[in-house]
Each structure stands twice: as structure tokens, then as C-alpha cells.
Amino acid sequence: MQRMQDTGLRLFYTQGYFNTSVDDVLKELQMSKGAFYYHFDSKEDFFVQIIQTNLTHRMYASLIDPIKSHENPLVRIVKCLEDNLETAVHNELDFGCLLGNFIAEFNGRNETIMKHLNDILAIWEVSLVTALQKGKFNGHLDRHVDCEAVSLYIISSYLGIRTLMVGTAPSAKKYRFMSQLKHYFKSLEARPITA
Amino acid sequence: MQRMQDTGLRLFYTQGYFNTSVDDVLKELQMSKGAFYYHFDSKEDFFVQIIQTNLTHRMYASLIDPIKSHENPLVRIVKCLEDNLETAVHNELDFGCLLGNFIAEFNGRNETIMKHLNDILAIWEVSLVTALQKGKFNGHLDRHVDCEAVSLYIISSYLGIRTLMVGTAPSAKKYRFMSQLKHYFKSLEARPITA
DNA sequence: GGATAAACCGACCCACGGGTCGGTTTTATT
DNA sequence: AATAAAACCGACCCGTGGGTCGGTTTATCC
């Protein structure tokens, strides 16, 4: 069962959902169609279940939990994104951000699936906002910072760079991206009292 | 011919390439298969031609030409992106950035098509870098600014926000995004000589 | 060990998808 | 008007894709 979902997610991620057939998944698993349709109502149902368990777990593990801390959120976020980009650089078969790719693939095309993807996105966003607000309270961020906007900007740029890094020179792109992210973050820091 | 490509691009954009059949395009055009395969070798060839003409034109018109100017590039870029986002907000059937969506869909899955998409991406990036460098020369940007990195960061965030805006509250997202972009840009401006 | 259900198998169904091809209409040329 | 080339038609091919179903194996419980 775990194996089915792992394999399914891997194939959907690497080849795209519409470009991956149930037979593809079955071949990889050496499993019969009967077994598959005994466990899942349809290809879509299969994918929804993958999202709810597998994809959600991965998002928590890589992008949500790592920023939960009482330290300076800007520092935590930088480290978290840096780690994720570094992993991507060293991953031979990187195809971008799991969540980002699926959102791009299903945007406006499948309401059911988008609902589940948006749920994860919302959790991610909220966890960022929460971390930033805590940082404001703790004096790490300037009090004029718009946490929702910053959160959105971070997610946007991250989804974008993950897509762009699939192409050539991922490592160089990672450095360039991180340099600008840090630059941007510096402008969010609490201003010295000397104003 | 123009109609064929326009329709093809529209369908591939709104439904995705893999999720759109040649028959779909034909039905929309009220055209026979024979006519289609008289003009194009294959579905892929059809798409490549669309990229080379139609998609390229649109990219120039919306994101490349508008930033070619002798004014302050930061101002130009802000206005250009703002305009594009505003158009997206008012477009009932917006599905994200044309180029960005296709890149996400074909990343690592079709070398031929990716080559063409990357060509456009490279042109866009170069035009941004050029504009920024000119801005540096003209004293609009701080001389320590890494133009390649800034350009990459802009593209990343733009591709990301376009994807996110397909969901709910595009207008609110646009404002939040723009506010942070401007914030970031402020940190790139030439420092007052008082340093 | 017999009964019952859960888990699984794979042949089969049928619509769809990309692509072909023999033939017909349209257009341009002389 | 004759001719040839360009443009077009749509029936057809065949592999694929999602999904079904009658039957078989495997676990479970008494």
C-alpha cells in the first residue's frame, strides 16, 4: 500500500499525471489491475489519497516543520529553503517542487484535486505567516512588515526557482536565488533604533 | 493557419498539452484531420511551431519589449509586471504564465520542446539583465547589485505568483506580491552618497 | 476443516488518441 | 479548357488508457 503510493507519486511527479497511465504504475509495481482497482475507485481517487497522505507528509517534513521554531524566522526560513534547494541540486532526477508542479498541472482543470492541493498550500502559508508574526513579536522583524505579503512572496519565488532549476546549472541558480532572498530578507529586519 | 495556432495555443494553455488531443483542436476549428496533418508533421511539430511564432511573439509583447527603455529599469520592470498581473486578474480564464506553465509541463520530459522554451526564457533573462546593467550605468541601481541574480529572482517570483494567482483572490495576491517586489527593489536602488 | 470474506488476478471492453492514406476539391498556370 | 500542384477530406488503423468482472487465491474465524 505504502509502496503503491510511493511509486504512484514518483511516477506522477517525474512524468506528470496526465502523461502517466495506470498501467505504467502497475508495470512498475508488478501488480495486477484487479489489485489496484480493489484498493482505489479510480486513477483520480488514487491520486487524491496520495496527496492526502504521502504528499502532505513530504511537505511537512521538508518545508513546514523545519520553520517551526522560536529562533529568528528569517534565519530559519533561509536555512530551510537553502536545504531544499541543495537537495534538489544533488538530485539527479529533480523535476521541481512536488506541490508546485501539481498545482501548475491541475490549476483550473480539476476542482477536486485542486482543493486538496490548495489545502496543503494554505497550511504552508499559514505556518510561514505564524513564524513571521512570532518573529515580529520577538523583535526580529520590523513591525511594519506585512507578514501575509512576505509569505506569499517567499512561496512565489520558491516555486519559481524550483521550476527554473530543473534546467541547466541548478547550482548556480541556487546561489543567485539565495543571495537575493537574503538581500530581500535584510530589508525586513528590525530597524536599528537610531531610525 | 494563424487561426490554427491561436486555437492550439489556447487549448494547450487552458487544458494542458497532454490533456488536449489533436481531435480537440480539430473540433474547435471545424477542420479535418487531413488538413491538419498536411500542415504539420505531428502534434509535437504543431506545438513547436506554435512556440516559435505565437508564444514568442506574446512573450515579447507582454514581458520583453515593455522593459526596453532608457528610463529607470526598476520602474519599468515594476510597471511591466504590474500590468501583466492586472491583465491576469481581469482575465476570467487565466491559468498562469504561458511560458511558465509549459516549462513546468515539459521540464525533463521532452528535450526538443524544452529547448525551444528555454530559448525564450533565455531571451527574457538577457533582456532583464541588459536593462538592469543599463540602469546601473545610469546610476539608478547600486553598483554592487548582481544583475544576473536579480533577473533570476524576478523571473522566479513572477512565475510563482502567476501560478498562485490562478486560485482564489488573485487581486489580493497581486497587491501583496507587488508590495514586496517594490520593497525588494528599493534595496537595489543606488545608495545615497552619504553612505 | 469448512465457511466467509478480503485480497488479488488478468482477460476483456470500448472509447480515444495519434497518425495514415486514397481520393476529392480548389487554386494557379498556360 | 487542360493540367498540375496545393489544399483538404474523413474513413480507417492500431496501440493505449481507464475501468469492469467472473473467477481464484489467501487469510480469518469458529
Side-chain angles (χ1 to χ4, degrees), chain A residues 79-169:
Chain A
K79 182 167 176 10
C80 173
L81 298 189
E82 166 112 48
D83 287 348
N84 274 276
L85 295 188
E86 185 62 17
T87 303
V89 167
H90 289 112
N91 182 3
E92 290 294 309
L93 291 172
D94 180 62
F95 292 88
C97 174
L98 262 177
L99 182 64
N101 281 13
F102 289 135
I103 288 178
E105 190 166 5
F106 288 103
N107 243 343
R109 315 209 242 265
N110 184 317
E111 229 177 298
T112 312
I113 290 181
M114 274 314 293
K115 208 195 147 303
H116 291 97
L117 295 175
N118 276 325
D119 284 348
I120 304 181
L121 191 61
I123 294 172
W124 185 18
E125 199 167 0
V126 167
S127 86
L128 275 171
V129 171
T130 306
L132 291 169
Q133 279 173 338
K134 209 175 284 179
K136 223 158 145 180
F137 184 79
N138 292 338
H140 292 118
L141 271 73
D142 188 271
R143 67 202 152 87
H144 300 103
V145 165
D146 178 346
C147 296
E148 276 86 8
V150 172
S151 167
L152 180 68
Y153 198 63
I154 292 170
I155 293 176
S156 296
S157 61
Y158 179 74
L159 293 185
I161 193 65
R162 291 290 277 108
T163 298
L164 294 177
M165 275 175 56
V166 180
T168 51

Side-chain angles (χ1 to χ4, degrees), chain B residues 81-96:
Chain B
L81 299 188
E82 167 112 47
D83 287 348
N84 275 276
L85 295 188
E86 186 61 18
T87 302
V89 166
H90 289 112
N91 182 3
E92 290 296 308
L93 292 171
D94 180 62
F95 291 89

Side-chain angles (χ1 to χ4, degrees), chain A residues 31-57:
Chain A
M31 178 181 276
S32 73
K33 236 168 194 186
F36 180 87
Y37 278 97
Y38 175 79
H39 290 288
F40 307 100
D41 292 342
S42 63
K43 184 188 179 186
E44 180 176 320
D45 175 55
F46 178 48
F47 188 56
V48 168
Q49 294 204 31
I50 288 178
I51 296 173
Q52 286 179 322
T53 62
N54 226 315
L55 180 56
T56 304
H57 284 157

Side-chain angles (χ1 to χ4, degrees), chain B residues 44-75:
Chain B
E44 179 175 321
D45 173 55
F46 177 47
F47 188 56
V48 168
Q49 293 204 32
I50 287 177
I51 296 173
Q52 287 179 322
T53 62
N54 226 316
L55 180 56
T56 305
H57 283 159
R58 280 167 205 252
M59 282 296 293
Y60 269 96
S62 61
L63 290 164
I64 296 174
D65 289 338
I67 60 166
K68 277 177 183 158
S69 152
H70 295 288
E71 303 168 39
N72 186 333
L74 296 181
V75 174

Side-chain angles (χ1 to χ4, degrees), chain B residues 3 7-8 20 24 26 42 46 49 69 86-87 93 100 142 144 159 175 177 191-192:
Chain B
R3 226 180 98 246
T7 305
T20 302
D24 287 342
L26 262 31
S42 63
F46 177 47
Q49 293 204 32
S69 152
E86 186 61 18
T87 302
L93 292 171
D142 188 271
H144 300 103
L159 293 186
Y175 283 113
F177 176 85
R191 298 289 155 79

Side-chain angles (χ1 to χ4, degrees), chain B residues 80-136:
Chain B
C80 173
L81 299 188
E82 167 112 47
D83 287 348
N84 275 276
L85 295 188
E86 186 61 18
T87 302
V89 166
H90 289 112
N91 182 3
E92 290 296 308
L93 292 171
D94 180 62
F95 291 89
C97 174
L98 262 176
L99 183 63
N101 282 13
F102 289 135
I103 288 178
E105 191 166 4
F106 289 103
N107 243 344
R109 315 210 242 266
N110 185 316
E111 229 176 300
T112 312
I113 291 180
M114 274 314 293
K115 209 195 148 301
H116 290 97
L117 295 175
N118 277 325
D119 283 348
I120 303 181
L121 191 60
I123 293 171
W124 185 17
E125 199 167 358
V126 167
S127 86
L128 275 171
V129 171
T130 306
L132 291 168
Q133 280 173 339
K134 209 176 285 180
K136 223 159 146 179

